[in-house]
Amino acid sequence: MSLDPGLQVLRRSRPMLAPGDIFAWQHARRPGRFHFGRVVSTEANLTGIPEVHCILIYLYRAWSLDKHAIPDLRHDLLLLPPIGTNRLGWTRGYFETVARQPLTKADVLPQHCFTDGASFLDEHGRYLPGPVEPVGRYGLAGIGLIDELIGIAFD
């Protein structure tokens, strides 16, 4: 089972996600290639509700033919701006955690920035004076939206 037309099921899991987790994903438009993502935070707040946290992830352009041959995952190689999501990518099998490496300062953007269409906010819902690239969407992105955004990026 896969979302039509893009993300492919790799392996379902109920992971205890942590910052630094590296996960593989595949897309129908890039058959045979494993792309990668990284968990940056499990305490992001992109909902406006203080007690509702989400998982802040990066998705990279970098790919490999082997999900265990992890390429360089630098923040200047992002496929999309940072995304706030939930665990469904993992529990439904679209994201498969393949490694855990501690995050360094060089791995993380100096400033995260999201927009709700009217304002710019960081990953904790604090207002920023203006945009800081790359600008993501403020809010919780489900796996369907993530699939759509990847498809657009691959067009």
Side-chain angles (χ1 to χ4, degrees):
M1 177 183 164
S2 69
L3 292 172
D4 187 18
L7 285 169
Q8 306 295 295
V9 172
L10 298 176
R11 190 177 65 121
R12 299 174 200 275
S13 64
R14 294 202 176 273
M16 295 300 298
L17 297 171
D21 283 357
I22 297 170
F23 56 93
W25 53 274
Q26 286 187 307
H27 197 276
R29 293 188 187 170
R30 302 291 191 271
R33 294 182 184 182
F34 290 94
H35 288 265
F36 296 87
R38 195 138 195 212
V39 174
V40 178
S41 172
T42 57
E43 298 294 319
N45 184 327
L46 298 173
T47 64
I49 304 168
E51 53 279 343
V52 176
H53 294 188
C54 62
I55 303 159
L56 181 63
I57 62 171
Y58 291 173
L59 298 177
Y60 300 92
R61 291 189 305 256
W63 60 273
S64 170
L65 295 176
D66 177 352
K67 66 183 169 188
H68 299 290
I70 301 167
D72 192 14
L73 302 178
R74 299 188 328 254
H75 64 72
D76 61 330
L77 299 174
L78 294 177
L79 176 67
L80 298 167
I83 297 170
T85 191
N86 53 30
R87 295 182 190 281
L88 287 180
W90 289 267
T91 60
R92 292 189 179 168
Y94 299 110
F95 298 155
E96 180 182 340
T97 302
V98 294
R100 179 173 289 167
Q101 297 174 359
L103 289 170
T104 67
K105 193 171 187 171
D107 295 328
V108 181
L109 289 165
Q111 175 68 66
H112 292 115
C113 181
F114 302 89
T115 185
D116 61 4
S119 305
F120 298 97
L121 304 99
D122 71 7
E123 72 272 27
H124 303 292
R126 296 180 295 231
Y127 288 95
L128 300 172
V132 179
E133 294 295 334
V135 179
R137 295 180 184 195
Y138 185 78
L140 187 67
I143 196 66
L145 178 58
I146 293 171
D147 181 54
E148 181 182 333
L149 294 172
I150 289 170
I152 291 167
F154 282 163
D155 278 344

